[in-house]
């Protein structure tokens, strides 16, 4: 969410070249880490490489938006990002605990049970994130997101 929001902000301000360079750095880190890490930690290295590149991309875009933000709006931007991270962390935690319960119910899951576990965990994460975001003051954002404007 931080990446997509920062991308919209950056493109909206016309910072296309800066986004390109940040994405290129993330891509180089991803490729390098994907080549190096599996030799050290096995296949989990690919997951770590992907996570690392996404963190670099998010941090780079966030830094770009913060550096270019007007002084008056910088604190509001940081507060909004903090609230989104809080909502995301709460959603991930709830999804984690729902997954633990489902794994305890289906320790030797069939394919269908594994799909149901994925669906239930995903719906829990989505619902928790949306509820937390609404409680943290993002009601207007969701209203704009779901607004249907058919005017030409």
């Amino acid at each position: 969410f931080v990446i997509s929001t920062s991308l919209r902000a950056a493109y909206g301000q016309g910072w296309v070249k800066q986004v390109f360079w940040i994405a290129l750095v993330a891509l180089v880190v991803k490729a390098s880490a994907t080549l190096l890490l599996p030799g050290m930690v096995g296949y989990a290295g690919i997951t770590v490489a992907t996570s690392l590149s996404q963190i670099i991309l998010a941090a780079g875009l966030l830094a770009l938006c913060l550096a270019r933000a007007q002084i008056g709006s910088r604190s509001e931007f940081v507060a909004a990002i903090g609230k989104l991270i809080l909502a995301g962390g709460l959603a991930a935690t709830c999804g984690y605990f729902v997954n633990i319960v489902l794994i305890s119910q289906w320790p030797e899951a069939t394919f269908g049970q594994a799909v149901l576990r994925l669906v239930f965990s995903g719906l829990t994460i989505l619902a928790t994130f949306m509820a937390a975001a609404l409680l943290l003051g993002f009601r207007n954002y969701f209203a704009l997101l779901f607004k249907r404007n058919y005017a030409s």
Side-chain angles (χ1 to χ4, degrees), residues 13-133:
Q13 295 296 319
W15 305 329
V16 178
K17 288 180 185 177
Q18 292 83 354
V19 171
F20 170 77
W21 289 111
I22 293 167
L24 185 62
V25 168
L27 181 65
V28 168
V29 168
K30 165 76 168 131
S32 302
T34 299
L35 291 173
L36 296 174
L37 290 176
M40 292 191 259
V41 294
Y43 289 109
I46 298 170
T47 303
V48 172
T50 302
S51 298
L52 182 62
S53 69
Q54 290 299 301
I55 289 169
I56 288 171
L57 182 61
L61 290 171
L62 184 58
L64 173 65
C65 291
L66 286 175
R68 299 271 180 115
Q70 296 174 356
I71 298 300
S73 64
R74 191 174 292 166
S75 62
E76 293 172 16
F77 184 74
V78 171
I81 294 296
K83 288 178 184 179
L84 289 173
I85 291 171
L86 177 64
L90 182 61
T93 302
C94 287
Y96 173 76
F97 286 119
V98 164
N99 204 25
I100 287 175
V101 169
L102 292 174
I103 288 172
S104 71
Q105 296 297 314
W106 297 322
E108 299 285 329
T110 64
F111 178 76
Q113 290 170 331
V115 169
L116 282 175
R117 189 170 68 204
L118 179 65
V119 168
F120 287 137
S121 295
L123 288 174
T124 299
I125 291 168
L126 178 64
T128 305
F129 179 80
M130 290 186 72

